[in-house]
Amino acid sequence: MPMAPPPLLPLSALLLLLAAASHASAKPVQTQALLATPLSPDRVSAPSELARDDDSNVFAAAEDAAASTVRFRVVHRDDFSKNATAAELLAYRLERDEKRAARLSAAAGAANGTRRGGGGVVAPVVSGLAQGSGEYFTKIGVGTPATPALMVLDTGSDVVWLQCAPCRRCYEQSGQVFDPRRSRSYGAVGCAAPLCRRLDSGGCDLRRSACLYQVTYGDGSVTAGDFATETLSPGGFSLFDTCYDLSGRKVVKVPTVSMHFAGGAEAALPPENYLIPVDSKGTFCFAFAGTDGGVSIIGNIQQQGFRVVFDGDGQRVAFVPKGC
């Protein structure tokens, strides 16, 4: 499935960020060289060795029959994703990462005694002044994968709506416009569906057999469009909310990102561990995301190439660069 196109910033914006950071800090900003290789547009096939049924291809016992060691051949799960593009594989990984992060946040919240009760939903509330509105908004994610959006906290309406692509006669909005064609969880509501008949002011597009809604507000403004069901996620933090167009460039200098730990320890990340390609056009995005529950997660992209050492007796964790 093609991924939703992220908002792009020109390379000059990255350089401006670098210059601003250099001006604000007494230390010169460290930079690294990033190989700007985009994702391949070609579809990948499962390796031919996966098709063989030979047990020796799966595991091999040690030559010494008395030994208790068994050697297993490790196969990446992407090898089983036949006829998938690199962008589709990335979308699958992000979906799995989102679920793992939710489980870790929930477990950390339970351990800290901050588990949410009653099936409630917690999401940040922000002022709409930056959007030219006196109302309050909450950040949500719409669809799968999630597109970030700001939703007005309007308790007087029973229909939640947003602008969708392709958008006709729509107002100019800040942020990305939701594209239902790129969401795996979007579901159109048919004209004969019970949900459609519950609308106060509904209609039907007979050509598409699609349910239509219309809401009129007290100030005379009107919104109308397709009525559908979709997955909403609280928080609405987009993993790829900061992206750059590096098309046509082979090598780019980028600021070094480091993890700082208590006691002064520091681990500098290679550029490919935080600025990754997301399509075949040369779009690169920062691979960072927020979490709920007050827990910080060092993701698998950041851990690439590091050997992680666990010192159980000393209650310490070590990160050894270029250890893999």
Side-chain angles (χ1 to χ4, degrees):
M1 185 201 74
M3 295 184 59
L8 300 182
L9 296 175
L11 180 61
S12 58
L14 179 61
L15 298 179
L16 286 174
L17 289 175
L18 177 59
S22 177
H23 178 73
S25 175
K27 297 181 180 179
V29 175
Q30 302 295 321
T31 62
Q32 301 182 84
L34 171 71
L35 295 178
T37 304
L39 296 179
S40 171
D42 300 329
R43 294 188 175 273
V44 297
S45 301
S48 58
E49 59 266 21
L50 291 179
R52 298 204 301 263
D53 295 328
D54 185 5
D55 289 342
S56 63
N57 191 46
V58 180
F59 67 89
E63 295 181 0
D64 186 355
S68 60
T69 301
V70 177
R71 298 191 302 272
F72 289 88
R73 187 172 66 87
V74 179
V75 179
H76 197 283
R77 65 183 302 160
D78 286 352
D79 290 342
F80 296 94
S81 300
K82 298 181 180 179
N83 201 31
T85 65
E88 290 171 340
L89 292 177
L90 178 60
Y92 299 150
R93 294 170 195 160
L94 295 178
E95 187 175 356
R96 296 194 300 268
D97 285 351
E98 184 178 4
K99 293 178 180 179
R100 282 197 296 267
R103 287 196 298 268
L104 290 172
S105 296
N112 296 331
T114 58
R115 176 180 293 177
R116 300 168 185 170
V121 175
V122 178
V125 175
V126 297
S127 171
L129 292 178
Q131 308 295 327
S133 171
E135 298 170 300
Y136 286 92
F137 295 78
T138 184
K139 294 182 179 180
I140 61 171
V142 182
T144 308
T147 298
L150 289 175
M151 182 176 71
V152 177
L153 296 177
D154 182 8
T155 58
S157 301
D158 58 355
V159 174
V160 177
W161 63 270
L162 78 164
Q163 298 190 126
C164 300
C167 199
R168 302 180 181 89
R169 294 191 302 171
C170 293
Y171 64 88
E172 183 179 354
Q173 72 174 54
S174 61
Q176 185 177 343
V177 176
F178 172 68
D179 190 343
R181 298 167 298 183
R182 300 180 182 273
S183 173
R184 295 191 296 275
S185 52
Y186 178 85
V189 175
C191 297
L195 194 60
C196 184
R197 294 196 295 267
R198 292 174 57 183
L199 290 173
D200 292 333
S201 298
C204 178
D205 185 331
L206 296 177
R207 182 178 60 85
R208 297 182 295 126
S209 188
C211 182
L212 305 177
Y213 81 93
Q214 178 174 309
V215 177
T216 303
Y217 296 98
D219 61 357
S221 59
V222 178
T223 174
D226 288 355
F227 194 54
T229 60
E230 183 55 288
T231 298
L232 302 182
S233 53
F237 192 99
S238 173
L239 176 62
F240 297 145
D241 64 348
T242 305
C243 300
Y244 301 93
D245 182 5
L246 303 184
S247 58
R249 296 175 172 85
K250 294 183 178 180
V251 180
V252 178
K253 284 188 176 181
V254 298
T256 298
V257 174
S258 300
M259 297 186 295
H260 298 270
F261 301 93
E266 178 180 326
L269 301 177
E272 59 271 12
N273 284 30
Y274 56 87
L275 199 58
I276 65 174
V278 297
D279 58 26
S280 59
K281 301 177 182 179
T283 304
F284 282 70
C285 299
F286 278 115
F288 293 105
T291 57
D292 296 325
V295 61
S296 297
I297 301 174
I298 301 176
N300 51 12
I301 293 180
Q302 281 73 54
Q303 294 184 42
Q304 291 179 133
F306 281 86
R307 184 178 297 276
V308 183
V309 182
F310 297 92
D311 179 6
D313 294 336
Q315 295 293 298
R316 296 180 302 176
V317 177
F319 294 91
V320 183
K322 300 180 180 179
C324 300

